[in-house]
């Protein structure tokens, strides 16, 4: 019993220790001189712009589908006029940030994991380190910061498009003027809805970047470990997003809605 | 004008380096009783060697005997379990992060795979250490250095290509150029000719000699390629099973009593 248990425990602690030291390396290197601004911009472009279409379409359809799904039910109660508000509140508070973050986990975290993983396996990261350059500053810091910046932007954009999608949906089932729709949609919202959702997305973005970089940077072995890194980056990033979301909901219900 | 100044500066640093190495007794790398294990697997058992200034030292040995592990200890990528690993009079294992960084700037490491950064063009690959390590800002100056170095390895045409568009031999040569552009005092070559045709291998071996003449580096060359060893070696060490079993010039080892040593030269 003891023999079976102890290695897995020590592995877990080792993993946690590695993550903590990776994190402290990240933080130390943010403030080091020679910040890689150009690379940061390039990463923001790669992460933000390249996910733009996927996230935009998803956001739009999200609002559209939610509206179409809820109209028949709301009709029974004669509450169709509440649909715009309901859609905007539920998308902005919860569904938007989480779905977009999960999408980014699939697209961005796996990409980072695979890219850094293959750089590690082909000794490119070692080569950088041995030449006296700083691979953490160049590769890790830029990617984590880019994710932390871009994921909230993407999810705010998706939220906006979801409301547009909702307008489109309600126009299919009956005519609503744009002014009326958006009035209803925004009236239901408060600043206390948007801000926690953006803050949440910042943490989601950080988790995506951090997990992707950690898994990629620490992959070792042959080419198959690149696949393992990409895969486990998606799995852990998704898990982190769900866990962080649960914490965030608790915190906002204590501090904001009370 | 700027060029002349720079050349003078490089020459001056070259002189300073030479004198500092001389005061250290001309031994630039010293390994004593070096031991390294991975888990229960003992890879390096008792490694003793010295690399002298300006010398080309060839290390021969079968695959998996720990040659790469030994040179990785010299640049602090791996830490030995026991023994001394002394480079420029400093114990590598105990260096602080900053000291290790400045030590690494003086050492060039050519990876077995070339290890080109595959998201960058050849030009950016060569410029990377200049901008990131030397902190050079002037683009013209960087370009001249990059072009000069590519000309040295005979690949000036490839300057705007991506690494994926290059052949294996070209990648090795670009990797060599990227390492040499820092004008290292010590070069560690990990199998510079493996996997190349005999003609390209010969070119690379001669390139190693030319570079030594030009930049006065001391080198350790790990290889299985006896032709490369014959061209480049001043002295040869033969490694087997985590220890060095023979040392000498090429023609001495060729007629060694040891069957294993002789078999390398067949
Ligand atoms: N990071 C590591 N973790 C675990 N084992 C390692 C590691 N690096 C090397 N080894 C082991 O050390 C032994 C020696 O490896 P090394 O790469 O030094 O061989 P080599 O002499 O360079 O061989 P080759 O000529 O094929 O490159 C191998 O058995 C390898 O499995
Ligand atoms: Mg090797």
């Amino acid at each position: 019993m003891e023999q079976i248990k102890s290695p897995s425990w020590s592995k877990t602690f080792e993993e946690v220790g590695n993550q903590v030291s990776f994190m402290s390396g990240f933080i130390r290197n943010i403030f080091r001189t020679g910040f890689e601004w150009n690379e940061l911009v390039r990463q923001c472009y790669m992460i933000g712009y390249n996910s733009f279409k996927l996230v935009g379409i998803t956001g739009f359809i999200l609002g559209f589908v939610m509206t179409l799904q809820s109209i028949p039910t709301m009709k029974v109660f004669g509450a169709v006029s509440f649909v715009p508000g309901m859609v905007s509140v539920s998308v902005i508070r919860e569904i938007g940030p989480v779905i977009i973050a999960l999408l980014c986990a699939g697209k961005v975290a796996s990409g980072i994991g695979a890219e850094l993983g293959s750089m590690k396996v082909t000794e490119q990261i070692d080569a950088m380190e041995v030449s006296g350059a700083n691979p953490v500053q160049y590769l890790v810091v830029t990617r984590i910061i880019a994710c932390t910046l871009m994921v909230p932007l993407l999810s705010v954009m998706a939220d906006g498009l979801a409301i547009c999608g909702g307008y489109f949906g309600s126009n299919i089932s009956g005519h609503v003027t744009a002014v009326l729709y958006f009035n209803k949609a925004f009236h239901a919202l408060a600043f206390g809805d948007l801000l926690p959702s953006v803050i949440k997305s910042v943490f989601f973005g950080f988790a995506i970047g951090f997990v992707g970089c950690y898994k990629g940077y620490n992959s070792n072995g042959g080419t198959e470990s690149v696949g393992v890194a990409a895969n486990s980056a998606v799995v852990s990033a998704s898990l982190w997003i769900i866990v962080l979301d649960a914490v965030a909901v608790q915190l906002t219900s204590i501090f904001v809605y009370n | 004008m700027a060029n002349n100044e720079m050349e003078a500066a490089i020459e001056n640093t070259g002189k300073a380096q030479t004198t500092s190495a001389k005061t250290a007794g001309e031994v630039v790398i010293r390994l004593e009783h070096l031991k390294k294990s991975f888990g229960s697997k003992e890879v390096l058992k008792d490694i003793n060697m010295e690399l002298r200034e300006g010398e080309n030292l060839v290390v021969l040995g079968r695959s998996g005997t720990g040659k790469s592990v030994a040179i990785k200890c010299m640049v602090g990528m791996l830490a030995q379990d026991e023994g001394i690993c002394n480079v420029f009079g400093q114990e590598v294992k105990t260096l602080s992060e900053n000291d290790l960084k400045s030590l690494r700037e003086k050492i060039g490491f050519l990876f077995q795979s070339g290890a080109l950064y595959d998201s960058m063009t050849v030009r950016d690959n060569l410029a990377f250490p200049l901008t990131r390590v030397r902190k050079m800002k002037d683009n013209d100056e960087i370009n001249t250095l990059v072009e000069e170095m590519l000309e040295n390895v005979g690949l000036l045409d490839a300057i705007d290509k991506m690494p994926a568009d290059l052949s294996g031999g070209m990648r090795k040569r670009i990797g060599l150029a990227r390492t040499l552009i820092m004008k290292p005092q010590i070069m560690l070559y990990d199998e510079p000719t493996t996997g190349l045709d005999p003609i390209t291998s010969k070119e690379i071996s001669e390139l190693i000699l030319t570079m030594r003449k030009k930049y006065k580096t001391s080198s350790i060359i790990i290889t299985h390629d006896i032709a490369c060893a014959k061209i480049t070696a001043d002295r040869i060490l033969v490694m087997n099973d985590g220890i060095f079993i023979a040392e000498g010039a090429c023609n001495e080892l060729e007629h060694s009593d040891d069957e294993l040593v002789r078999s390398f030269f067949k």
Side-chain angles (χ1 to χ4, degrees):
Chain A
M1 185 74 183
E2 204 52 48
Q3 272 173 342
I4 299 166
K5 252 188 162 174
S6 63
S8 85
W9 270 113
S10 67
K11 267 232 169 82
T12 314
F13 283 125
E14 200 181 314
E15 179 78 11
V16 172
N18 285 341
Q19 291 194 7
V20 170
S21 83
F22 193 72
M23 174 78 94
S24 74
F26 162 68
I27 292 170
R28 260 183 298 133
N29 278 293
I30 299 177
F31 302 107
R32 233 183 227 152
T33 51
F35 190 86
E36 301 276 354
W37 291 104
N38 288 341
E39 181 64 11
L40 176 65
V41 172
R42 198 175 77 88
Q43 287 304 327
C44 286
Y45 173 82
M46 303 269 283
I47 290 164
Y49 183 77
N50 289 345
S51 313
F52 183 81
K53 259 190 256 162
L54 174 74
V55 167
I57 293 172
T58 311
F60 186 84
I61 291 179
L62 201 65
F64 176 71
V65 169
M66 272 187 70
T67 306
L68 287 191
Q69 292 276 29
S70 44
I71 282 176
T73 320
M74 298 297 259
K75 229 175 206 155
V76 176
F77 300 101
V80 178
S81 65
F82 287 105
V83 168
M86 191 198 84
V87 169
S88 65
V89 166
S90 51
V91 165
I92 286 175
R93 272 196 196 171
E94 179 63 30
I95 301 176
V98 171
I99 294 231
I100 298 312
L102 288 175
L103 268 185
C104 289
K107 187 166 178 352
V108 176
S110 66
I112 293 177
E115 193 185 1
L116 294 195
S118 71
M119 287 187 79
K120 177 79 183 191
V121 168
T122 57
E123 298 180 313
Q124 293 175 48
I125 292 182
D126 290 336
M128 251 180 223
E129 205 174 316
V130 164
S131 75
N134 186 337
V136 176
Q137 191 174 34
Y138 182 72
L139 300 170
V140 174
V141 170
T142 51
R143 280 174 176 75
I144 295 182
I145 293 183
C147 283
T148 314
L149 294 175
M150 286 297 120
V151 171
L153 280 182
L154 286 171
S155 60
V156 168
M157 181 196 79
D159 291 345
L161 282 170
I163 295 175
C164 297
Y167 171 64
F168 192 67
S170 29
N171 260 306
I172 282 182
S173 56
H175 182 71
V176 191
T177 66
V179 176
L180 180 64
Y181 181 87
F182 285 104
N183 249 337
K184 287 257 175 210
F186 287 117
H187 193 74
L189 285 174
F191 190 62
D193 289 319
L194 192 60
L195 191 66
S197 131
V198 170
I199 293 176
K200 195 154 83 172
S201 294
V202 169
F203 281 96
F204 292 164
F206 178 81
I208 290 168
F210 182 81
V211 170
C213 287
Y214 175 78
K215 295 287 180 186
Y217 203 89
N218 288 297
S219 66
N220 48 24
T223 28
E224 67 178 40
S225 66
V226 178
V228 173
N231 190 347
S232 63
V234 177
V235 173
S236 334
S238 308
L239 194 65
W240 269 111
I241 288 165
I242 304 289
V243 172
L244 284 173
D245 188 48
V247 176
V249 168
Q250 284 300 317
L251 290 180
T252 37
S253 64
I254 294 170
F255 291 110
V256 182
Y257 303 132
N258 267 356
Chain B
M1 167 69 185
N3 235 341
N4 285 341
E5 267 174 34
M6 205 180 62
E7 265 171 36
I10 289 169
E11 249 179 55
N12 278 339
T13 50
K15 269 176 205 153
Q17 286 158 4
T18 326
T19 43
S20 74
K22 273 211 174 100
T23 49
E26 300 207 22
V27 173
V28 283
I29 297 183
R30 202 176 79 239
L31 305 185
E32 274 176 29
H33 306 297
L34 199 72
K35 287 179 193 162
K36 174 78 189 170
S37 316
F38 292 105
S40 58
K41 189 173 177 344
E42 224 182 342
V43 177
L44 300 182
K45 289 178 183 154
D46 186 12
I47 296 287
N48 297 285
M49 61 153 273
E50 279 180 354
L51 177 72
R52 290 175 181 281
E53 199 191 348
E55 180 185 35
N56 272 359
L57 176 66
V58 167
V59 177
L60 291 175
R62 291 173 54 184
S63 225
T65 48
K67 305 181 298 295
S68 299
V69 171
I71 59 170
K72 280 179 183 169
C73 289
M74 295 173 195
V75 288
M77 268 200 290
L78 293 170
Q80 72 269 26
D81 301 331
E82 278 175 50
I84 294 171
C85 175
N86 206 306
V87 180
F88 291 124
Q90 295 167 300
E91 173 57 55
V92 177
K93 196 173 153 182
T94 57
L95 288 180
S96 71
E97 201 177 330
N98 282 335
D99 291 343
L100 185 60
K101 193 167 170 292
S102 51
L103 177 70
R104 282 170 170 175
E105 289 174 27
K106 295 186 233 161
I107 305 179
F109 195 115
L110 179 68
F111 280 82
Q112 215 162 333
S113 56
L116 297 184
Y117 310 137
D118 48 21
S119 60
M120 302 177 203
T121 61
V122 169
R123 184 195 297 273
D124 294 341
N125 260 283
L126 266 72
F128 190 87
L130 295 178
T131 51
R132 299 317 195 288
V133 183
R134 290 269 182 274
K135 313 273 182 207
M136 285 166 66
K137 295 249 159 58
D138 182 356
N139 272 331
D140 293 338
E141 196 180 323
I142 292 172
N143 273 336
T144 5
L145 276 178
V146 168
E147 280 163 18
E148 180 199 317
M149 196 42 82
L150 280 175
E151 207 158 351
N152 276 339
V153 297
L155 282 175
L156 192 51
D157 321 337
I159 190 163
D160 287 314
K161 288 197 173 143
M162 296 301 282
D165 305 333
L166 303 175
S167 75
M170 288 160 95
R171 264 181 245 170
K172 277 255 165 76
R173 281 195 276 174
I174 301 285
L176 186 56
R178 188 183 64 190
T179 324
L180 287 169
I181 205 165
M182 298 286 286
K183 311 257 162 36
Q185 298 169 47
I186 301 178
M187 273 298 301
L188 306 173
Y189 299 92
D190 199 348
E191 307 196 5
T193 59
T194 308
L196 304 177
D197 67 276
I199 301 170
T200 317
S201 304
K202 190 151 178 274
E203 277 173 18
I204 291 201
S205 312
E206 277 161 3
L207 198 59
I208 292 175
L209 278 186
T210 324
M211 292 301 142
R212 170 174 68 161
K213 234 187 230 156
K214 215 165 172 175
Y215 301 114
K216 305 194 172 45
T217 48
S218 332
S219 317
I220 296 180
I221 302 149
I222 291 178
T223 188
H224 309 283
D225 177 5
I226 217 65
C228 168
K230 278 183 177 158
I231 297 173
T232 52
D234 297 326
R235 185 159 61 103
I236 298 180
L237 283 171
V238 182
M239 189 191 246
N240 191 40
D241 215 8
I243 51 170
F244 287 125
I245 54 170
E247 174 183 354
C250 198
N251 49 0
E252 289 167 28
L253 294 183
E254 226 163 340
H255 306 105
S256 157
D257 303 332
D258 194 320
E259 177 71 29
L260 186 78
V261 175
R262 269 202 322 269
S263 64
F264 275 104
F265 291 85
K266 274 174 193 155

